[in-house]
Amino acid sequence: MITKENERLYRTEAIILRMTNVGEADRILTIYTRDRGKLRVVAKGVRRTTSRLSGYVERFTQTRLLIARGRNLDIITQSDPVKIFRNLNGENLEIYAYANYAVHLLDQLTEENSENFPAYQLLSETFESLNVGNNPNATIRAYELHLLNYMGYRPQLTQCVRCNAEIEPMVNFFSPEMGGVLCPACGEVERRSLEMSLDALKVLRYMQRNPFASGPQLKLSDQLRLELEHIMHNYTRYLLERDLKSVEFIHSIS
């Protein structure tokens, strides 16, 4: 039976992406939920030390929320944390920087009120991987590939995106504009394409074909790490039509 209370309140599980202080004690939160996608909600009075929400609506926290519908923004009335990823709190700047980038990429690729449970689960798994100390660079490369897949931007890694030829095991090229790998002949024609080593192609294919959890376990050389980062950064920059400040932050502490 649907009652007025049922209509006014709803429960959801969410990961807190961003927080903005407003007024004397409130915060507006951007959250990503498992069943409603991205939402903007308000936590009233949360900055007061006496608030029962204080400490339970922190950034990067995965939590169960009870939310009341509001005129402009819905209002968090209760928070019951599911996972607190303590190692993402900023004490380790590298881990924090990668978690921050994961959040920014998801935020920029999504619209509000668009459900995508696989993306929600992926962000949770990515935070867990970073939290337990897996290779942050490999973790984020796997995250990018799977997230782009869920958002409809899966890069083509098996056939040339220009001539459709099967990609051979050699040095090839990657075209951010065309969304995938180019064979050597087509790569020479597309001037803005990026050279891609065989090892880089193998790693991206492996991450794309396998569950997310297998990606963070890979050991990457410094040279391969930089090459993969360069390729994926150029692809996401093309999709978003700009650089993310969180990428600059990663570079500033590297």
Side-chain angles (χ1 to χ4, degrees), residues 41-59:
V41 295
V42 61
K44 288 188 174 293
V46 71
R47 287 153 56 203
R48 296 192 182 101
T49 56
T50 56
S51 171
R52 58 194 175 122
L53 289 176
S54 181
Y56 295 101
V57 286
E58 296 297 326
R59 195 171 184 228

Side-chain angles (χ1 to χ4, degrees), residues 157-250:
L157 299 175
T158 58
Q159 291 179 298
C160 176
V161 290
R162 189 171 184 272
C163 72
N164 294 320
E166 197 74 17
I167 293 298
E168 300 293 335
M170 60 180 67
V171 173
N172 291 281
F173 294 82
F174 185 88
S175 170
E177 291 87 349
M178 300 181 75
V181 180
L182 295 165
C183 67
C186 291
E188 293 293 343
V189 174
E190 297 293 334
R191 292 185 177 181
R192 287 181 292 185
S193 62
L194 310 170
E195 188 173 293
M196 173 184 275
S197 69
L198 178 57
D199 284 344
L201 178 62
K202 286 180 177 179
V203 168
L204 293 180
R205 280 182 173 179
Y206 177 85
M207 288 181 172
Q208 190 180 72
R209 291 170 174 170
N210 289 281
F212 165 79
S214 62
Q217 308 305 319
L218 295 178
K219 305 298 183 183
L220 307 176
S221 67
D222 289 343
Q223 181 178 350
L224 183 55
R225 175 181 61 81
L226 290 172
E227 181 183 1
L228 293 169
E229 181 181 359
H230 181 64
I231 290 170
M232 295 306 298
H233 176 209
N234 276 272
Y235 187 37
T236 55
R237 178 171 58 187
Y238 174 76
L239 295 174
L240 299 174
E241 299 182 339
R242 63 190 183 89
D243 282 320
L244 294 179
K245 290 183 179 179
S246 49
V247 174
E248 297 176 12
F249 182 46
I250 290 174

Side-chain angles (χ1 to χ4, degrees), residues 20 33 35 64 81 97 103-104 112 117 124 157 170-171 199 212 222 244 250:
T20 303
T33 71
D35 57 350
R64 294 186 186 94
V103 162
H104 281 183
E112 290 187 27
F117 174 72
S124 177
L157 299 175
M170 60 180 67
V171 173
D199 284 344
F212 165 79
D222 289 343
L244 294 179
I250 290 174

Side-chain angles (χ1 to χ4, degrees), residues 46-79:
V46 71
R47 287 153 56 203
R48 296 192 182 101
T49 56
T50 56
S51 171
R52 58 194 175 122
L53 289 176
S54 181
Y56 295 101
V57 286
E58 296 297 326
R59 195 171 184 228
F60 302 150
T61 299
Q62 186 172 355
T63 183
R64 294 186 186 94
L65 299 172
L66 180 63
I67 301 176
R69 300 190 186 280
R71 180 174 297 180
N72 296 314
L73 292 176
D74 292 350
I75 303 164
I76 295 175
T77 62
Q78 183 178 319
S79 177

